Amino acid sequence: MSRLDYAPKLKEIQITDIKKGLGVFTPKPDRAVSFAALKTALKRAGYTLDSAQISVAGTLARDGSTWTLVNDSTGQRFVLEGANVEKVLAGAKPDTRLSITGDWKTSGTGATSREVISPDAPENADGASKSERGAAASKVWATSSATNASQVTTAGASREADAPVVRFTAASYEPPAARAASYEPASSYKPAASYRASAIYQSSPPDAFSGSLLSLERPSPRVPLAPIRVTSPGLTVYKGGAFAPRLYFVRQHAGALEVNRQVLNLSVTYTPTPTLQLEAELPLARTAFDDGATSGASFGLGNLTLWGKYRFFRTVKTYGDRQAAFRFGLELPTGSKRAPLASQVNASAFLRQQLTPISGGLSPHFDLSFSQAGGRFIFGGNVEAVLRSGRAGFRMGHELRVNTDVEYVLLPRDYDVPGRELFAILETSFVRRGLGRVGGATVAASGSTEFYLAPGLQYAAAPRVVLEGSFQFPVARRAGAQALRTDGNLLLGVRYLF
């Protein structure tokens, strides 16, 4: 929606009530507006526009029996229709300056299309119509369409203040069955199905309008991509992406062998359509080992993994949603395969191979994820299967992973405006790894079954920047003597949305 011709810049986007989906916007003062274009933009984003309102200041004109309101900022004509037209315009004459608010639609298509306003019923205790009140107000700042810009400015109103103002006081957006919403909440919050945006045009115009466009592509750039370790079915943002460097500090052991890893994982995502997300992931690892007699360290690149995620299900409700996605990844044999020699570390060939930054060669990943959000709580999980192939005669066992995620918005307590959210996150991981191979032979006691907890925090530090961290530790594990056991895994990350 922010890509509409009459939309302001993303930095001007503002959500005023996140629970109810309230937001405000003022279109660009020099651009004509279109309900049809708005509806099309929302449809592309995966929503159906139910209704909308608009407030327009301008000059009345009459074409036969039809009243029109000509906006002085753009010259755009709005046809006035409906049961309340005569009441609202009682006593009004052509060239009268006033502001009218009402239901908005586009009638016709192509060259015959026109913007139509059905004015609201007059709301004034003294019985005066809106036209009368508008005419009275107009005396303060304008008298007719002949009034020049300097006169209007002298009266305290700029020409920019005459720009139409859209009021989505009754606009509900429900996702069509065949499409998904294009924004993420992914997210710092889970957006509502019913968004109401409002920008009030006063009877006497303010010195300058301040407001923003409610963007259904990206309700707010403040979008933490929760969870941290568990796969999210959400997409980053339609026609946008994220850069997410993550640093892992991992402690492992196998008997007397102690291993410390520092892994920098570089990830870039891009979302070209409302249902598809592409991702590339590359780890850089430093591995230090000590067997009690000798020690050493190595550095190298891990395997590059390319991902494609397809979100096939989404249903949205007020202040919450449900969504599911399938993700396929292909791990390419690009990482370093150089392992320490037997003279460098007193360990078996299979254990030495685990000190490299790879787990094998070309390996497909299959991932199915689901999440459900309601209010401050978010629940999710994913199931992932990895089929390992060998590289340099080595591969770890095939893997099955089952992860769960629970999130809660800790701050702010008065959660009306998005931004500065602090999430408390608790993730679990169940990992079942089969027997590995080295030198063409299956290695006994190389499989493992493990269960981990990972509490964490995630903070929306800036509109496009998210800070996150979690610590994973084992709760239960059964691992063979030839498998490295993970004792702790600290993750620190930053996510930048673009």
Side-chain angles (χ1 to χ4, degrees):
M1 175 143 164
S2 60
R3 299 176 188 276
L4 283 170
D5 181 59
Y6 58 81
K9 296 180 180 179
L10 271 178
K11 66 181 181 180
E12 299 175 8
I13 292 174
Q14 181 182 3
I15 305 294
T16 58
D17 191 322
I18 193 172
K19 301 183 186 69
K20 298 178 181 178
L22 294 175
V24 296
F25 77 86
T26 300
K28 293 178 180 178
D30 58 344
R31 303 292 174 87
V33 299
S34 167
F35 177 88
L38 174 64
K39 187 172 184 177
T40 299
L42 292 173
K43 183 177 180 180
R44 289 174 179 171
Y47 290 85
T48 299
L49 178 62
D50 194 24
S51 61
Q53 285 194 331
I54 191 169
S55 295
V56 178
T59 303
L60 274 178
R62 186 135 192 179
D63 182 9
S65 61
T66 302
W67 284 102
T68 61
L69 186 65
V70 183
N71 178 249
D72 296 319
S73 175
T74 63
Q76 186 175 10
R77 303 177 76 89
F78 295 84
V79 176
L80 305 181
E81 293 182 352
N84 297 320
V85 172
E86 296 303 324
K87 297 178 183 179
V88 171
L89 299 182
K93 298 180 180 179
D95 293 338
T96 300
R97 292 286 305 278
L98 73 161
S99 171
I100 288 181
T101 297
D103 292 337
W104 178 33
K105 67 180 181 179
T106 300
S107 176
T109 59
T112 63
S113 67
R114 57 183 186 173
E115 300 304 308
V116 178
I117 301 176
S118 298
D120 293 340
E123 296 177 2
N124 193 19
D126 60 12
S129 68
K130 283 189 176 182
S131 63
E132 292 169 338
R133 285 182 284 119
S138 69
K139 295 177 183 177
V140 178
W141 56 281
T143 56
S144 71
S145 60
T147 303
N148 61 39
S150 62
Q151 288 175 313
V152 174
T153 303
T154 301
S158 68
R159 301 293 286 182
E160 181 174 337
D162 295 341
V165 179
V166 177
R167 180 199 301 265
F168 287 88
T169 56
S172 64
Y173 308 99
E174 299 295 341
R179 297 179 64 89
S182 66
Y183 54 74
E184 217 13 63
S187 133
S188 64
Y189 57 89
K190 309 300 177 183
S194 297
Y195 276 79
R196 297 177 176 85
S198 61
I200 298 175
Y201 188 90
Q202 301 172 353
S203 56
S204 57
D207 292 338
F209 273 116
S210 62
S212 307
L213 178 68
L214 175 65
S215 169
L216 268 294
E217 287 179 6
R218 187 189 312 192
S220 167
R222 303 173 176 90
V223 183
L225 306 179
I228 298 177
R229 298 175 186 265
V230 176
T231 302
S232 168
L235 309 184
T236 303
V237 60
Y238 178 38
K239 295 268 179 93
F243 173 60
R246 288 174 159 185
L247 185 59
Y248 297 82
F249 298 89
V250 187
R251 291 182 59 88
Q252 297 175 302
H253 82 277
L257 177 63
E258 295 185 355
V259 179
N260 286 283
R261 299 180 190 269
Q262 298 86 46
V263 182
L264 177 61
N265 193 76
L266 303 176
S267 174
V268 178
T269 67
Y270 181 71
T271 306
T273 77
T275 58
L276 179 66
Q277 179 174 290
L278 305 176
E279 182 178 1
E281 191 175 65
L282 180 66
L284 297 84
R286 179 186 181 276
T287 305
F289 52 86
D290 187 339
D291 63 7
T294 60
S295 62
S298 62
F299 177 83
L301 290 175
N303 287 340
L304 172 67
T305 305
L306 303 179
W307 295 93
K309 182 197 295 184
Y310 173 68
R311 183 169 57 191
F312 59 85
F313 168 77
R314 185 164 199 181
T315 179
V316 185
K317 65 177 183 178
T318 302
Y319 196 35
D321 68 359
R322 293 180 182 176
Q323 52 187 330
F326 173 76
R327 190 170 73 144
F328 174 76
L330 191 61
E331 188 175 332
L332 305 177
T334 58
S336 174
K337 58 186 179 182
R338 182 178 298 175
L341 302 175
S343 59
Q344 296 175 297
V345 57
N346 182 24
S348 67
F350 188 75
L351 279 172
R352 295 201 309 274
Q353 287 287 349
Q354 292 177 66
L355 300 180
T356 67
I358 66 173
S359 296
L362 187 70
S363 301
H365 296 240
F366 305 89
D367 190 310
L368 184 65
S369 58
F370 173 81
S371 73
Q372 175 174 324
R376 291 178 177 266
F377 284 95
I378 303 99
F379 306 92
N382 76 290
V383 178
E384 180 182 357
V386 185
L387 302 179
R388 300 287 182 191
S389 67
R391 186 168 189 224
F394 162 75
R395 72 164 175 81
M396 297 293 291
H398 303 313
E399 294 181 23
L400 175 65
R401 296 176 175 267
V402 180
N403 305 308
T404 67
D405 163 60
V406 179
E407 306 164 33
Y408 180 75
V409 183
L410 281 175
L411 298 173
R413 298 310 303 169
D414 185 13
Y415 195 23
D416 291 328
V417 179
R420 305 293 181 181
E421 294 94 343
L422 178 65
F423 280 79
I425 298 176
L426 179 62
E427 296 171 300
T428 71
S429 295
F430 170 84
V431 183
R432 177 72 176 93
R433 184 178 291 110
L435 298 178
R437 297 176 67 89
V438 66
T442 300
V443 179
S446 60
S448 62
T449 301
E450 303 157 295
F451 181 73
Y452 297 90
L453 287 181
L457 292 173
Q458 192 176 69
Y459 178 60
R464 297 180 184 270
V465 178
V466 179
L467 306 178
E468 58 191 11
S470 73
F471 181 72
Q472 186 183 68
F473 58 91
V475 176
R477 61 186 175 186
R478 184 177 61 187
Q482 295 300 308
L484 284 174
R485 302 184 179 202
T486 298
D487 302 314
N489 184 339
L490 174 65
L491 182 159
L492 302 175
V494 177
R495 305 195 197 187
Y496 174 75
L497 306 184
F498 59 84

